[in-house]
Amino acid sequence: MSIFCYVNQPTDLVKQSIPFAYMAISVTSTDDVAHSVQVYSDITAEWVSADNSLVVDWSTSATGDVITHQVQSRSSSVFSEAQNHVQYGSTFYSTLNTANTTYQTGTDVAVRTQFITNGHLSNTRDIDFRAIDNHSSWPVFGLAQNLGLVTGPTSVVFSIGHVRDPAIQYVVPGGTQNRSLYFWSQFSTVSALISYFLKDYSGALSRAQMLDSRVNSDASKISADYADLVTLSIRQAIGAMEITISKNSDGTWNTSDIIIFLKEISSGENVNTVDVIFPAWPTLLYLNPVLGKYLLEGLFRYQASGLYPNKWSVHDLGSSYPKALGHNDGNEKTMPVEGSQLSLHTENTPYLLAESGNMLIMALSYAQKTGDNSQLARYTTLLDQWTQFLITDSLVPANQLSTDNFAGTLANQTNLAVKGIIGIKAMSQIYSILGNTAQSSNYSSIAADFVTKWQTLAMSSTGQHLTLNYGNSSSWGLTYNLYGDKLLKLNLFPTQIYSLQTAWYKTVTRETLFLRDVSILLKKISKNLLVFHWTLGLYS
């Protein structure tokens, strides 16, 4: 059995936006003797809501080339979630309609017993609409396929998906904008979409295998184990993305207005969290850089509108996906408090310095990768604003959260300062691209000066390694933010720093090497895997 979805179509925005997955069951005779084979599968209404007490209704379409069960809650609430489960829209469970395909809706016991006893379903519909968990009468939605006498490889394909429209509520000046998934620009009905999706299975499988082969080949150049990690990470990095478009005033789809939204999974319900996008960034550059551009667009557009009042980059576009309502009051995850630049911080003033650096690094790297400077030109003022903040606050970071926010706040973080300094240098490069040589030279000088000062602040008293935080010579950690220096090819930090850290890590036993950072990784692994991968790449 194989299960996969359209997250393997990164260069086709229509396909990548389709919220469906395949389940393919393949059978073959292992003894060269023909065997009679029937396949059964069902879903419950748990696909509709996390609240099993809700009443649902359903319907079955068995005309045309597809059989589809459709299920939805009777108490839908648009743009709402419960327990990280969307509370509106419909679930669709389908297969191609052949002479040997049967269906049935009813209680779990009745439908499953029908198949076990007879090898097929009754093509009947239960219309006693009830709760998802109705004690002894759970409603299930079954599909069955009689494959007949099987000797060679034979398969049956099912599709499962959840469709809601509108998909996202996005904050704009004067109110909000409803946004829909990109696939609607090509399909006017869900039934047409499902028919296309099922018939495209062989093509989708071929494309998935090609992508897997490419990823495995490229990642195996580092190691086979690394290839396995990257394969997992790619699915995680783009599996929670939704590609959206808006409508024109006449009601037609505006396919030139694309914004991608990403849900922060397990650690929160935030929308387009900057320090979640950033760890996924290498994957986006590898698969299709334009995905990254459209992820940043919503963040850029919101902050350029003037709705967000702070001088640093916003942490996310909202705290309750799929409502991307921003933080017009300026109070997102934490509030910044400025401190003295050249004295070590001890006061407890948590804030998010990392996001400004992340945005600058990602904006520049997209332009470098593609030659598309449109966002740099459109949002120059905003990018410069964040750079000014970094100049004031990044060299000696206050007691604050970093992207590893579950580890708590820490003052004078060596690794966090690296992010800010690279952000300043990135703005220098941005101005160079845009032809402003004076500003480019100014920011380049500031970044170089900060690197010199940082080396003194961050070095342990023995000179053998960098510290985790300034002044704490017994501490050390993974300086994975140096990744930005390599990604952007800045050569900002001297090679001695990389050599020093590489030599230091080799002296530390496996049991203690990533003691602090592994605890962080284990907590963060459901959020993303790539932060750790960058470090592997830097110090391998």
Side-chain angles (χ1 to χ4, degrees):
M1 183 175 73
S2 63
I3 301 175
F4 69 94
C5 55
Y6 257 29
V7 298
N8 56 30
Q9 321 291 321
T11 59
D12 187 320
L13 297 185
V14 172
K15 289 184 173 66
Q16 186 64 36
S17 70
I18 295 175
F20 282 88
Y22 296 106
M23 180 177 72
I25 300 174
S26 300
V27 296
T28 190
S29 173
T30 59
D31 58 6
D32 296 325
V33 175
H35 297 270
S36 178
V37 178
Q38 296 80 40
V39 175
Y40 169 87
S41 179
D42 70 41
I43 63 168
T44 71
E46 290 167 288
W47 281 85
V48 174
S49 174
D51 183 354
N52 287 348
S53 68
L54 293 182
V55 174
V56 294
D57 59 42
W58 54 84
S59 61
T60 301
S61 171
T63 59
D65 56 358
V66 174
I67 297 178
T68 295
H69 294 302
Q70 177 179 342
V71 192
Q72 51 275 318
S73 170
R74 282 193 160 181
S75 53
S76 296
S77 178
V78 178
F79 301 125
S80 67
E81 278 200 339
Q83 302 176 47
N84 280 311
H85 196 141
V86 70
Q87 297 298 292
Y88 71 106
S90 300
T91 296
F92 297 85
Y93 191 47
S94 308
T95 192
L96 290 176
N97 190 4
T98 71
N100 297 317
T101 306
T102 53
Y103 67 88
Q104 187 174 340
T105 59
T107 67
D108 52 347
V109 173
V111 176
R112 293 166 186 172
T113 299
Q114 163 69 25
F115 178 78
I116 292 170
T117 303
N118 302 292
H120 60 81
L121 296 176
S122 63
N123 291 340
T124 57
R125 298 169 172 86
D126 179 347
I127 57 173
D128 178 19
F129 303 134
R130 53 194 180 273
I132 296 170
D133 176 5
N134 197 40
H135 306 294
S136 61
S137 59
W138 284 73
V140 301
F141 314 96
L143 296 169
Q145 178 79 31
N146 183 359
L147 300 181
L149 293 176
V150 173
T151 52
T154 306
S155 64
V156 58
V157 178
F158 303 91
S159 69
I160 181 75
H162 188 277
V163 177
R164 67 187 198 280
D165 189 60
I168 297 288
Q169 185 181 37
Y170 178 59
V171 62
V172 295
T176 59
Q177 177 190 65
N178 291 344
R179 301 186 64 87
S180 300
L181 296 184
Y182 195 99
F183 76 80
W184 285 111
S185 65
Q186 297 296 317
F187 299 94
S188 59
T189 65
V190 176
S191 59
L193 172 67
I194 294 172
S195 177
Y196 168 81
F197 184 79
L198 284 168
K199 293 174 183 178
D200 189 44
Y201 171 73
S202 60
L205 179 61
S206 176
R207 293 189 296 271
Q209 291 169 337
M210 290 176 61
L211 178 60
D212 283 346
S213 177
R214 173 190 165 200
V215 170
N216 187 67
S217 174
D218 291 341
S220 293
K221 294 173 184 176
I222 297 177
S223 77
D225 291 337
Y226 185 71
D228 291 338
L229 290 172
V230 170
T231 299
L232 289 171
S233 299
I234 284 179
R235 283 158 175 78
Q236 191 169 36
I238 66 175
M241 295 193 322
E242 295 193 298
I243 305 171
T244 72
I245 53 177
S246 63
K247 285 186 176 181
N248 296 307
S249 58
D250 62 359
T252 58
W253 295 110
N254 183 0
T255 55
S256 65
D257 176 25
I258 303 170
I259 300 178
I260 295 180
F261 294 90
L262 181 149
K263 179 180 179 181
E264 183 174 339
I265 297 176
S266 83
S267 55
E269 298 180 21
N270 293 339
V271 184
N272 285 36
T273 306
V274 177
D275 60 279
V276 173
I277 297 173
F278 187 75
W281 196 252
T283 297
L284 303 178
L285 293 180
Y286 177 80
L287 294 175
N288 182 9
V290 77
L291 297 176
K293 175 185 180 180
Y294 294 140
L295 267 171
L296 298 186
E297 180 60 29
L299 290 155
F300 274 129
R301 193 182 300 182
Y302 166 60
Q303 293 172 90
S305 72
L307 293 173
Y308 182 66
N310 295 328
K311 61 185 177 182
W312 48 85
S313 171
V314 72
H315 171 264
D316 57 74
L317 280 177
S319 56
S320 184
Y321 199 98
K323 295 180 180 180
L325 301 181
H327 299 280
N328 295 356
D329 59 0
N331 294 318
E332 64 258 51
K333 204 152 193 176
T334 50
M335 279 294 294
V337 178
E338 292 185 35
S340 171
Q341 182 180 358
L342 294 178
S343 61
L344 299 189
H345 287 296
T346 58
E347 69 276 16
N348 183 13
T349 55
Y351 67 96
L352 294 166
L353 177 154
E355 313 302 26
S356 297
N358 288 339
M359 290 296 292
L360 286 156
I361 292 168
M362 289 188 289
L364 174 58
S365 66
Y366 169 76
Q368 289 179 334
K369 184 75 172 180
T370 64
D372 175 6
N373 302 326
S374 58
Q375 283 186 330
L376 301 185
R378 185 179 305 118
Y379 301 114
T380 307
T381 300
L382 194 59
L383 292 163
D384 188 84
Q385 173 184 308
W386 297 334
T387 306
Q388 291 297 324
F389 169 67
L390 293 178
I391 290 171
T392 303
D393 284 65
S394 66
L395 179 57
V396 183
N399 191 32
Q400 64 182 276
L401 298 171
S402 68
T403 188
D404 303 316
N405 49 39
F406 34 74
T409 60
L410 184 67
N412 313 312
Q413 294 182 54
T414 294
N415 190 43
L416 190 56
V418 170
K419 176 71 65 64
I421 296 169
I422 292 173
I424 297 168
K425 179 64 175 180
M427 192 65 211
S428 167
Q429 295 293 98
I430 289 170
Y431 271 128
S432 178
I433 290 172
L434 298 177
N436 190 332
T437 57
Q439 280 288 62
S440 175
S441 177
N442 179 40
Y443 285 150
S444 181
S445 296
I446 293 171
D449 177 59
F450 277 18
V451 169
T452 300
K453 292 173 179 175
W454 172 85
Q455 290 181 79
T456 300
L457 293 167
M459 192 63 63
S460 66
S461 58
T462 64
Q464 293 181 309
H465 62 86
L466 300 174
T467 59
L468 180 66
N469 56 315
Y470 302 162
N472 185 2
S473 289
S474 63
S475 69
W476 55 273
L478 295 175
T479 49
Y480 57 77
N481 281 333
L482 285 169
Y483 169 77
D485 190 30
K486 295 297 185 181
L487 173 67
L488 301 176
K489 297 179 174 60
L490 300 176
N491 297 317
L492 179 61
F493 288 82
T495 56
Q496 303 93 287
I497 293 297
Y498 294 95
S499 299
L500 180 81
Q501 289 298 90
T502 300
W504 167 253
Y505 291 143
K506 289 178 180 178
T507 68
V508 186
T509 63
R510 286 181 179 270
E511 288 74 17
T512 61
L513 174 55
F514 303 132
L515 187 59
R516 177 178 185 273
D517 295 273
V518 161
S519 68
I520 290 173
L521 174 67
L522 292 176
K523 294 176 185 176
K524 189 165 187 143
I525 197 164
S526 63
K527 189 174 180 182
N528 73 74
L529 291 164
L530 287 170
V531 165
F532 193 54
H533 295 176
W534 298 347
T535 309
L536 290 177
L538 282 172
Y539 297 114
S540 62

